[in-house]
mmCIF file of all heavy atoms in Angstrom:
data_model
loop_
_atom_site.group_PDB
_atom_site.id
_atom_site.type_symbol
_atom_site.label_atom_id
_atom_site.label_comp_id
_atom_site.label_asym_id
_atom_site.label_seq_id
_atom_site.Cartn_x
_atom_site.Cartn_y
_atom_site.Cartn_z
ATOM 1 N N TYR A 59 91.267 -54.962 -16.208
ATOM 2 C CA TYR A 59 90.826 -54.283 -17.275
ATOM 3 C C TYR A 59 92.071 -53.939 -18.230
ATOM 4 O O TYR A 59 93.168 -53.948 -17.796
ATOM 5 C CB TYR A 59 90.261 -52.884 -16.965
ATOM 6 C CG TYR A 59 88.933 -52.890 -16.349
ATOM 7 C CD1 TYR A 59 88.576 -53.323 -15.027
ATOM 8 C CD2 TYR A 59 87.814 -52.385 -17.164
ATOM 9 C CE1 TYR A 59 87.316 -53.381 -14.655
ATOM 10 C CE2 TYR A 59 86.529 -52.451 -16.751
ATOM 11 C CZ TYR A 59 86.228 -52.910 -15.503
ATOM 12 O OH TYR A 59 84.985 -52.941 -15.045
ATOM 13 N N GLN A 61 93.562 -51.342 -20.983
ATOM 14 C CA GLN A 61 93.405 -50.021 -21.582
ATOM 15 C C GLN A 61 94.436 -49.820 -22.620
ATOM 16 O O GLN A 61 95.660 -49.876 -22.490
ATOM 17 C CB GLN A 61 93.569 -48.887 -20.488
ATOM 18 C CG GLN A 61 93.310 -47.500 -20.982
ATOM 19 C CD GLN A 61 93.383 -46.533 -19.796
ATOM 20 O OE1 GLN A 61 94.106 -46.602 -18.836
ATOM 21 N NE2 GLN A 61 92.709 -45.233 -20.151
ATOM 22 N N GLU A 66 89.437 -45.721 -23.388
ATOM 23 C CA GLU A 66 88.977 -46.027 -22.112
ATOM 24 C C GLU A 66 89.312 -47.450 -21.687
ATOM 25 O O GLU A 66 89.484 -48.336 -22.601
ATOM 26 C CB GLU A 66 87.444 -45.876 -22.070
ATOM 27 C CG GLU A 66 86.546 -46.948 -22.676
ATOM 28 C CD GLU A 66 86.436 -46.786 -24.264
ATOM 29 O OE1 GLU A 66 87.206 -46.023 -24.823
ATOM 30 O OE2 GLU A 66 85.520 -47.369 -24.779
ATOM 31 N N LEU A 69 86.844 -54.107 -19.824
ATOM 32 C CA LEU A 69 86.903 -55.342 -18.980
ATOM 33 C C LEU A 69 87.505 -56.493 -19.715
ATOM 34 O O LEU A 69 87.118 -56.767 -20.856
ATOM 35 C CB LEU A 69 85.598 -55.803 -18.421
ATOM 36 C CG LEU A 69 85.542 -56.873 -17.544
ATOM 37 C CD1 LEU A 69 86.220 -56.619 -16.251
ATOM 38 C CD2 LEU A 69 84.039 -57.471 -17.280
ATOM 39 N N ASN A 118 80.043 -48.608 -4.134
ATOM 40 C CA ASN A 118 80.572 -47.767 -4.914
ATOM 41 C C ASN A 118 82.108 -47.558 -4.860
ATOM 42 O O ASN A 118 82.711 -46.660 -5.464
ATOM 43 C CB ASN A 118 79.899 -46.438 -4.811
ATOM 44 C CG ASN A 118 78.492 -46.425 -5.207
ATOM 45 O OD1 ASN A 118 78.177 -47.226 -6.031
ATOM 46 N ND2 ASN A 118 77.701 -45.473 -4.764
ATOM 47 N N PHE A 120 85.557 -48.378 -5.672
ATOM 48 C CA PHE A 120 86.524 -48.992 -6.585
ATOM 49 C C PHE A 120 87.918 -48.417 -6.416
ATOM 50 O O PHE A 120 88.003 -47.216 -6.351
ATOM 51 C CB PHE A 120 86.051 -48.780 -7.951
ATOM 52 C CG PHE A 120 84.743 -49.670 -8.379
ATOM 53 C CD1 PHE A 120 83.461 -49.036 -8.123
ATOM 54 C CD2 PHE A 120 84.863 -50.907 -8.994
ATOM 55 C CE1 PHE A 120 82.411 -49.852 -8.388
ATOM 56 C CE2 PHE A 120 83.715 -51.619 -9.228
ATOM 57 C CZ PHE A 120 82.440 -51.110 -9.001
ATOM 58 N N GLY A 123 94.686 -50.024 -9.724
ATOM 59 C CA GLY A 123 96.099 -50.055 -9.741
ATOM 60 C C GLY A 123 96.634 -48.973 -10.689
ATOM 61 O O GLY A 123 95.868 -48.577 -11.465
ATOM 62 N N GLN B 45 92.903 -38.739 -16.023
ATOM 63 C CA GLN B 45 94.006 -39.628 -16.270
ATOM 64 C C GLN B 45 94.996 -38.723 -17.074
ATOM 65 O O GLN B 45 94.779 -38.267 -18.155
ATOM 66 C CB GLN B 45 93.721 -40.869 -17.094
ATOM 67 C CG GLN B 45 94.876 -41.751 -17.165
ATOM 68 C CD GLN B 45 94.462 -43.111 -17.906
ATOM 69 O OE1 GLN B 45 93.652 -43.011 -18.745
ATOM 70 N NE2 GLN B 45 95.068 -44.237 -17.482
ATOM 71 N N SER B 50 97.707 -43.664 -13.786
ATOM 72 C CA SER B 50 96.444 -44.392 -13.648
ATOM 73 C C SER B 50 95.253 -43.410 -13.620
ATOM 74 O O SER B 50 95.354 -42.267 -13.447
ATOM 75 C CB SER B 50 96.464 -45.282 -12.407
ATOM 76 O OG SER B 50 95.385 -46.097 -12.373
ATOM 77 N N GLY B 110 79.385 -56.140 -10.174
ATOM 78 C CA GLY B 110 80.458 -55.151 -9.702
ATOM 79 C C GLY B 110 81.233 -54.512 -10.857
ATOM 80 O O GLY B 110 82.174 -53.736 -10.679
ATOM 81 N N GLU B 111 80.901 -54.895 -12.087
ATOM 82 C CA GLU B 111 81.692 -54.478 -13.218
ATOM 83 C C GLU B 111 81.427 -52.974 -13.480
ATOM 84 O O GLU B 111 80.333 -52.539 -13.278
ATOM 85 C CB GLU B 111 81.380 -55.251 -14.448
ATOM 86 C CG GLU B 111 82.073 -54.910 -15.796
ATOM 87 C CD GLU B 111 81.642 -55.630 -16.896
ATOM 88 O OE1 GLU B 111 80.844 -56.630 -16.833
ATOM 89 O OE2 GLU B 111 81.968 -55.299 -18.082
ATOM 90 N N LEU B 112 82.409 -52.229 -13.859
ATOM 91 C CA LEU B 112 82.349 -50.896 -14.275
ATOM 92 C C LEU B 112 82.207 -50.795 -15.739
ATOM 93 O O LEU B 112 83.058 -51.406 -16.426
ATOM 94 C CB LEU B 112 83.567 -50.051 -13.700
ATOM 95 C CG LEU B 112 83.620 -49.684 -12.304
ATOM 96 C CD1 LEU B 112 84.916 -49.143 -11.967
ATOM 97 C CD2 LEU B 112 82.444 -48.766 -11.884
ATOM 98 N N GLY B 115 82.692 -44.728 -20.270
ATOM 99 C CA GLY B 115 82.530 -43.933 -21.340
ATOM 100 C C GLY B 115 83.848 -43.967 -22.213
ATOM 101 O O GLY B 115 84.947 -44.481 -21.722
#
Side-chain angles (χ1 to χ4, degrees):
Chain A
Y59 279 77
Q61 186 176 23
E66 77 277 20
L69 181 67
N118 291 341
F120 288 85
Chain B
Q45 186 176 36
S50 187
E111 181 182 351
L112 283 173

